[in-house]
Amino acid sequence: MKTTITEKQPLVARRSFIKVTALAGGGFMLGSYFGIGEQSAVAQTTMPATMPTTQSARNAAGDFAPSAFIRISPSGVVTIISKNPEIGQGIKTSLPMIIAEEMEVPWESVIVEQAPLNGAFTGQVAGGSTAIPSNYGRMRRLGATARTMLITAAAQTWNVPAEECIAEDGVVVHTTSGTRATYGELAAKAATLPVPDEKSVTLKEPKDFKILGKRIGGVDNIKIATGAALFGIDQQVPDLLYATYTKCPVFGGKVSSANVDAIKKMRGVRDAFVLEGGNGLGAGVAIVADSTWSAFKAQQKLQITWDNGDKATHSTASYTEQAEAFAKASPQKEVAKVGDVDAAFASAAKTAEGMYFYPHLSHATLEPQNCTAQFKDGAMHIWAPSQNPGSAQDVVVKALNIPKDKISIDMTRIGGGFGRRLMHDFVVEAAAIAQKLNGPPVKLTWTREQDMRHDYYRVGGWHKLKGAVDESGKVVAWSNHFITFGENSIDRAGNGANVGADEFPNRFIPNYNLGQSIISSHVPLGFWRAPGSCAYAWTFQSFIDELAHAAGKDPLEFRLTLLGEDREVPGSGGRGRPYSATRAKGVLKLAADKSGWGKTLPRGQGQGIAFHFSHQGYVAVVADVTVSKEGELKVNRLTAGVDVGPIINLSGAENQVHGSMIDGYSAALLQEITVAGGQVEQGNFHNYPLLRMPDSPAVDAHYIETAKEPTGLGEPALPPTAPAICNAIFAATGKRIRSLPLSKQDLTWS
Amino acid sequence: MPKYTLNVNGEPKAVDVDADTPLLWVLRDTIGLVGTKYGCGMSLCGACTVHINGQAIRACGTPVSAVGSGKVVTIEGLAKNGELTPLQKAWCDHDVAQCGYCQSGQIMSATALLASNPKPTDADIDAAMAGNICRCATYPRIRLAIHSAAEGKKGVE
Ligand code: FES
Ligand code: FES
């Protein structure tokens, strides 16, 4: 027998910790550092007053390069660094607000700066509505740590007890004597003090908050209104080259041959070459030119013979056929089984059945995928609109075999994320081209058509549902045969293509079955705003409406009854999240109340209601619609009841709730990605439309601020919107919508 | 390559580009004004909206050869000496932007609307703004901002 001897590694974990640094000229900087174990003995370093803003400069400063969160200049300017990617969710405003609140600085005087990727910050991700719940406590403690140190500095300077000093509006005041000192005046002294244990610092009482919970405008508003905000696609670097990268329209196909020699002769073209791909880089043809337009024009002249592989037969029609065949049989796999649904169906007072379908969707961020990269002297620098730059770094390591510490990433403002930029195909492509060029910086820009045809799509799916209610109108059984997609797999559902065993209404119905069958497809799948929930909440909340109708109950009452007593239902088997019936009922009642639920309306008008719990947030939506006899739909109003705990920024929260609801409507009304010949058929906004101003409904948002730690709001208002609208269409017309998009359904009535 | 002298934000700009180059890419890559955005390249989304002689046009569908002596104004040319226009102020006051990518085009379309119709109705706004897509769906606040700029009000969001 062979024994493997592993050399013993010292048991030290790399961790980030808080450290103070003196800035030249008397400034103060509080940052988090990455180090080995306890590093309180690290000598205090004096950093230049202006910190390097690029990652490469930081790397040059060594392993203990600080990732500053707070800087105070001797003149009193407070700069707060925002570590997370800004995709329009407002995090560049809300995280600094939390620090400023605890620091006791007036918001108007704060300057916010975007951080680059730096491991010491941790969690530099925009995804899953997680930034607020995972950073709220941490940002508060950081702000409070700075405040505590400034108060200590003042107390020591004045030789008075710290308890007699308070901080307010960027000034420390000695309450008994009235002596005052600004943060700028105290910065140099504070920078010499030991950092208190961040767990020991006193946090403010929420009732004393001056910034949190208020309406605060985005920190980049003026830049955006004047065209000065720089997105990924706007990065300008001296001697920049411009690139396109053309991949096989059939996903996964390879390049057999390409007319790169002819392309290289075109005016404005500097280079053209084939990249074989592999390790996360898709095969394709790169064109490098002296302007975006030269590159786009040359791309039009590309003649490529593709090796499509065996996937060119895939089509939406064949997927539909497979789904229909699956629906006739038992599910391939059992996901959840509670009680005995068959017995319950046999003895039930009333049953309902329906087969639901929703299509694949594209993210269609308005800023197409793009990335700028420069590979020089063995080091790769990247300017990327990425929702997860740490993961971008990892995929570049893997694809291009460049050591991680040689890859630095600047995080740009991002023209929409919606989950698209959690995947980094475009980053790897730009980096691969830069590596080949070996020297000059290059910006890769995808055309809109490439963006739509090379997405990681929101998965489509089918649900064959059957439900039963008893005499009293209570749901007694629910079975769901969920037919979904795997990425080239019949065993594993793809990204966003699962329904969790605990997903509602499981745990609220005595007999419950969830089975799954998987269609293998080569279409890449990804995470689209509220992954999973964005699709199945529509199905389940529509079908609950069918059951309410079968039971002859009001849709709101029926849902409140289904949720039952006010309580928190634990996750089954110790897994899954607890589900608060109290909070779900709370948002239902709030949305109903604010929308005037229960109005008697003439035929052709209707109200619909739906609710969903996702990303730790509870949201209910009431839709008010009008449908003409000719089938023309107008959504008049969408009203949301929201419980994500305390609201950080009222203005930002409202933007997210409004935007999510309209986005949910836009997708349900208009959008569908279809496949023929193994390729996506849609390419631009004429055949993949987005909702426009004239169709945009009135929207409003109302909150229950349950006293809990706040949770994120980038996603949870989207899932309940489409079902609320479809339930309202049913109320208006008697037509049950079981297939999306709505624009393809016949809504006429007489 | 042909040479053109464009009038951009009141300044002459000599450029040396192919005749078919869309104004969008001349602005962005040649002149370096990147506030005008690329969204679709097919005059479908409005992200590239600029003014030529006060008219809102799609820079992605306008070849440089067609610009002639027309006065081009981009988002960077609205504010004078750092002073935002009332519409730009309303955009900030109402915290309209989410990701912000469409907003240059939205503001250019709205600016042209108010220049020709100082007190637009909701229907006027719908008609004038229908060519500008906002993927983040900031439409309710765009409407509010246009109304409040038209009424000379400060935002009361
Ligand atoms: S980029 Fe010109 S309209 Fe879309
Ligand atoms: S604000 Fe994101 S596209 Fe309009």
Side-chain angles (χ1 to χ4, degrees):
Chain A
M1 204 171 85
K2 207 174 146 194
T3 318
T4 314
I5 300 170
T6 329
E7 220 179 308
K8 254 208 173 145
Q9 297 291 329
L11 287 173
V12 283
R14 277 173 76 86
R15 61 185 283 270
S16 65
F17 56 96
I18 301 299
K19 188 171 166 297
V20 68
T21 305
L23 299 177
F28 166 98
M29 182 179 93
L30 199 62
S32 88
Y33 293 68
F34 225 13
I36 315 273
E38 291 300 321
Q39 284 292 347
S40 50
V42 170
Q44 289 194 350
T45 39
T46 300
M47 303 296 297
T50 318
M51 289 303 300
T53 50
T54 64
Q55 175 74 18
S56 39
R58 266 157 217 244
N59 283 353
D63 190 37
F64 293 99
S67 55
F69 274 107
I70 300 164
R71 294 202 307 268
I72 306 172
S73 77
S75 62
V77 177
V78 174
T79 305
I80 298 181
I81 284 76
S82 181
K83 71 181 181 75
N84 279 35
E86 174 60 67
I87 56 175
Q89 83 281 43
I91 206 72
K92 192 176 174 185
T93 307
S94 49
L95 289 187
M97 280 171 68
I98 302 170
I99 295 178
E101 178 69 67
E102 289 289 350
M103 239 186 116
E104 290 289 358
V105 283
W107 179 249
E108 304 69 48
S109 70
V110 169
I111 293 172
V112 175
E113 251 178 42
Q114 176 67 54
L117 174 67
N118 181 331
F121 281 119
T122 74
Q124 293 180 281
V125 183
S129 294
T130 53
I132 290 294
S134 56
N135 287 298
Y136 180 69
R138 197 169 154 225
M139 297 299 119
R140 287 184 73 189
R141 286 192 297 276
L142 260 168
T145 301
R147 165 175 37 88
T148 306
M149 292 173 78
L150 289 156
I151 288 177
T152 308
Q156 288 186 6
T157 306
W158 301 328
N159 213 1
V160 299
E163 295 69 43
E164 289 177 10
C165 300
I166 58 159
E168 56 182 22
D169 283 343
V171 175
V172 178
V173 183
H174 180 225
T175 46
T176 34
S177 68
T179 315
R180 301 161 62 86
T182 65
Y183 283 5
E185 288 160 353
L186 296 166
K189 171 88 179 161
T192 65
L193 298 175
V195 179
D197 177 357
E198 56 172 342
K199 303 225 166 50
S200 74
V201 296
T202 316
L203 299 179
K204 288 175 71 173
E205 289 294 327
K207 68 171 173 43
D208 299 326
F209 284 169
K210 296 173 188 145
I211 301 170
L212 297 185
K214 302 288 181 310
R215 279 184 177 277
I216 305 284
V219 294
D220 282 340
N221 276 354
I222 292 177
K223 282 190 181 163
I224 290 167
T226 54
L230 296 183
F231 295 81
I233 203 168
D234 303 327
Q235 299 305 307
Q236 291 170 310
V237 184
D239 304 319
L240 184 63
L241 297 175
Y242 300 81
T244 61
Y245 191 65
T246 308
K247 286 178 291 186
C248 184
V250 178
F251 301 108
K254 301 249 181 291
V255 184
S256 292
S257 66
N259 61 336
V260 286
D261 291 329
I263 295 294
K264 278 193 232 178
K265 294 194 188 104
M266 288 182 70
R267 189 162 59 208
V269 173
R270 301 287 186 91
D271 205 352
F273 45 85
V274 173
L275 291 174
E276 299 294 334
N279 294 324
L281 170 68
V285 183
I287 298 173
V288 182
D290 57 13
S291 73
T292 311
W293 182 246
S294 297
F296 280 8
K297 253 171 77 174
Q299 191 182 34
Q300 293 303 315
K301 297 279 185 250
L302 262 180
Q303 289 167 10
I304 306 172
T305 309
W306 297 108
D307 168 4
N308 286 332
D310 57 355
K311 301 300 192 305
T313 53
H314 279 234
S315 69
T316 298
S318 73
Y319 296 147
T320 308
E321 268 172 35
Q322 291 176 65
E324 281 162 1
F326 272 132
K328 293 196 185 100
S330 302
Q332 289 174 317
K333 184 177 137 192
E334 183 178 274
V335 179
K337 184 173 177 4
V338 180
D340 184 343
V341 288
D342 293 329
F345 285 137
S347 62
K350 296 210 174 72
T351 60
E353 284 180 71
M355 176 85 161
Y356 281 76
F357 163 74
Y358 44 78
H360 280 63
L361 297 178
S362 178
H363 294 84
T365 59
L366 202 59
E367 179 192 12
Q369 305 319 307
N370 67 84
C371 180
T372 302
Q374 181 169 28
F375 185 68
K376 211 176 163 190
D377 306 326
M380 182 73 73
H381 187 71
I382 294 170
W383 295 260
S386 161
Q387 289 182 241
N388 188 350
S391 144
Q393 191 180 41
D394 291 340
V395 295
V396 173
V397 168
K398 187 163 161 244
L400 305 181
N401 201 17
I402 301 170
K404 191 166 174 159
D405 62 358
K406 293 282 183 215
I407 302 168
S408 51
I409 302 186
D410 269 337
M411 294 159 62
T412 70
R413 196 174 172 90
I414 300 173
F418 310 103
R420 174 62 182 87
R421 299 182 220 259
L422 292 167
M423 303 301 194
H424 296 103
D425 41 353
F426 55 98
V427 176
V428 175
E429 291 165 15
I433 296 169
Q435 189 183 36
K436 183 94 198 287
L437 296 177
N438 198 8
V442 60
K443 183 198 293 180
L444 169 70
T445 304
W446 286 19
T447 62
R448 170 58 56 197
E449 287 75 12
Q450 289 184 289
D451 192 274
M452 201 164 280
R453 292 180 181 143
H454 289 281
D455 200 346
Y456 289 82
Y457 300 87
R458 195 295 296 273
V459 67
W462 293 259
H463 294 260
K464 188 181 174 194
L465 290 164
K466 185 169 180 188
V469 288
D470 68 12
E471 293 294 349
S472 72
K474 275 186 65 167
V475 185
V476 289
W478 175 291
S479 92
N480 177 9
H481 180 179
F482 174 37
I483 300 158
T484 184
F485 288 90
E487 248 187 271
N488 298 315
S489 168
I490 52 164
D491 304 315
R492 247 191 70 168
N495 289 327
N498 272 309
V499 176
D502 259 0
E503 187 54 50
F504 190 84
N506 195 10
R507 296 179 278 172
F508 291 83
I509 294 175
N511 304 289
Y512 177 91
N513 266 14
L514 171 61
Q516 188 188 55
S517 300
I518 298 175
I519 298 169
S520 175
S521 157
H522 68 318
V523 176
L525 301 176
F527 304 102
W528 194 97
R529 200 175 201 172
S533 298
C534 66
Y536 54 67
W538 168 70
T539 315
F540 303 159
Q541 288 290 318
S542 296
F543 193 63
I544 286 170
D545 233 55
E546 293 205 45
L547 293 174
H549 185 69
K553 300 283 184 194
D554 169 75
L556 169 65
E557 270 324 302
F558 188 77
R559 283 173 171 78
L560 294 173
T561 308
L562 175 58
L563 286 161
E565 295 293 305
D566 279 353
R567 71 208 186 283
E568 185 157 288
V569 182
S572 65
R575 298 184 65 218
R577 285 192 184 280
Y579 196 112
S580 169
T582 319
R583 296 175 77 188
K585 286 163 68 186
V587 295
L588 272 167
K589 288 181 202 158
L590 178 65
D593 180 46
K594 297 292 183 184
S595 62
W597 176 261
K599 286 180 236 179
T600 316
L601 295 167
R603 225 162 115 65
Q605 279 184 48
Q607 283 187 310
I609 194 164
F611 69 99
H612 190 67
F613 166 59
S614 70
H615 303 90
Q616 307 183 55
Y618 295 82
V619 182
V621 174
V622 172
D624 253 283
V625 309
T626 306
V627 185
S628 72
K629 283 193 171 150
E630 296 71 38
E632 203 181 317
L633 168 69
K634 179 165 167 36
V635 175
N636 304 309
R637 181 171 286 277
L638 297 169
T639 307
V642 176
D643 183 352
V644 289
I647 299 296
I648 303 287
N649 179 352
L650 256 186
S651 181
E654 190 181 272
N655 263 340
Q656 290 311 304
V657 177
H658 288 178
S660 296
M661 287 197 290
I662 301 173
D663 187 7
Y665 174 37
S666 176
L669 179 68
L670 299 167
Q671 293 160 16
E672 177 173 33
I673 287 292
T674 55
V675 175
Q679 323 179 7
V680 162
E681 295 185 287
Q682 292 72 24
N684 211 317
F685 298 125
H686 60 294
N687 52 17
Y688 191 83
L690 304 186
L691 196 85
R692 291 169 186 269
M693 174 81 99
D695 296 318
S696 179
V699 278
D700 55 323
H702 306 276
Y703 308 96
I704 297 173
E705 299 194 48
T706 297
K708 287 195 154 241
E709 291 256 303
T711 57
L713 203 42
E715 297 167 279
L718 186 137
T721 304
I725 292 167
C726 291
N727 293 340
I729 292 171
F730 178 77
T733 66
K735 284 205 162 164
R736 180 60 65 187
I737 307 301
R738 295 201 188 101
S739 193
L740 293 176
L742 276 166
S743 58
K744 295 207 172 144
Q745 314 309 315
D746 174 12
L747 303 183
T748 58
W749 57 276
S750 52
Chain B
M1 265 192 281
K3 291 193 184 353
Y4 300 91
T5 303
L6 305 179
N7 180 329
V8 181
N9 299 330
E11 284 177 32
K13 295 280 178 194
V15 298
D16 191 356
V17 292
D18 281 356
D20 65 353
T21 312
L23 176 60
L24 169 65
W25 297 111
V26 178
L27 290 169
R28 290 180 55 82
D29 290 352
T30 314
I31 302 177
L33 292 172
V34 293
T36 306
K37 305 301 185 202
Y38 166 64
C40 69
M42 281 180 69
S43 299
L44 294 167
C45 76
C48 65
T49 306
V50 299
H51 296 172
I52 297 185
N53 297 330
Q55 298 289 317
I57 60 106
R58 307 291 179 239
C60 70
T62 306
V64 65
S65 57
V67 177
S69 59
K71 291 195 170 67
V72 179
V73 175
T74 70
I75 185 75
E76 291 92 344
L78 292 184
K80 295 276 180 286
N81 305 320
E83 177 72 16
L84 303 193
T85 66
L87 194 72
Q88 287 174 310
K89 281 202 198 100
W91 235 258
C92 297
D93 290 342
H94 285 286
D95 194 22
V96 170
Q98 286 182 39
C99 82
Y101 194 76
C102 71
Q103 300 297 344
S104 300
Q106 304 281 1
I107 291 172
M108 295 312 287
S109 289
T111 300
L113 165 67
L114 290 187
S116 65
N117 179 356
K119 291 273 180 305
T121 62
D122 276 348
D124 297 336
I125 293 175
D126 282 352
M129 303 302 292
N132 289 82
I133 289 175
C134 178
R135 173 67 181 85
C136 305
T138 60
Y139 303 121
R141 287 192 179 177
I142 290 175
R143 191 187 298 281
L144 265 177
I146 294 175
H147 278 310
S148 73
E151 287 156 21
K153 277 201 311 224
K154 205 178 137 20
V156 284
E157 267 289 293

